[in-house]
Amino acid sequence: IDINSTVISPGIDLKIFSIKNNLPRRKDVILAIGRGLHLKNLQLTIEAWKKIMDQVEFWMFGIDPSIYYKLKSKYPDARIKYFVKPSDQEIVKLYNLATTFIQSSIHEGFCLPALEAMACGCPVITTNSDGNMDFCKDKINCLMVSKTDPNELSKKILYLLNNSKLQEKFRKEGLKTAKRYDWNIKIK
């Protein structure tokens, strides 16, 4: 059987996922999806955060606030927030307020949240989780880190937080990247 196929990656609605100029970007907030699923590798982000928790605020969103409660019970003075089941509009707000979005997955089919973050001007730090390599380019539109080294991740978080020029570069390149995945293009 001779089968021809075309791979069509997901698209995003750039009318929703976009920069909101009325939201002041914070200088010390790391944002991640708070899911305990092994493939999401949140533990890497948590271990990196522990090394720098006195210097950053850690925000997570998702459907499992027990992650927050466990961390808060161990580190009651830590600046942590968990946003439960946020709407797309609330997620857009988080992407616009956060200094960086961390995606530390072991594997992703595509990694739409990293692309959504880019569309909202939020610089991304990510692992090579396979599917995200369609659009994530190290030192061009994001920073890449090892899937197993929290020291490297914590250092790159601080490096990005303290480098406004690099943040601006990733914002510009991330917006260019996101435009290639606009629904209007993908539908055609």
Side-chain angles (χ1 to χ4, degrees), residues 107-166:
H107 175 78
E108 291 281 344
F110 182 75
C111 197
L112 206 48
L115 189 60
E116 292 169 350
M118 288 181 183
C120 294
C122 187
V124 172
I125 300 176
T126 187
T127 54
N128 174 343
S129 56
D130 304 313
N132 66 340
M133 298 310 289
D134 286 356
F135 63 90
C136 289
K137 307 297 178 208
D138 188 29
K139 298 182 188 83
I140 295 173
N141 64 3
C142 67
L143 286 176
M144 303 293 293
V145 295
S146 161
K147 296 174 190 176
T148 59
D149 187 352
N151 289 318
E152 178 192 15
L153 178 53
S154 65
K155 287 176 185 170
K156 287 202 175 175
I157 290 169
L158 291 180
Y159 176 70
L160 182 60
L161 267 55
N162 292 309
N163 191 330
S164 57
K165 285 184 180 180
L166 187 60

Side-chain angles (χ1 to χ4, degrees), residues 46-63:
I46 290 171
E47 292 304 315
W49 163 76
K50 285 179 189 177
K51 295 173 183 311
I52 58 173
M53 73 167 89
D54 59 327
Q55 300 172 67
V56 299
E57 191 166 336
F58 185 20
W59 294 357
M60 293 173 279
F61 66 91
I63 59 171

Side-chain angles (χ1 to χ4, degrees), residues 171-182:
R171 264 186 213 100
K172 286 179 183 170
E173 291 299 323
L175 290 171
K176 286 183 197 173
T177 300
K179 282 182 182 171
R180 295 196 313 264
Y181 292 88
D182 179 48

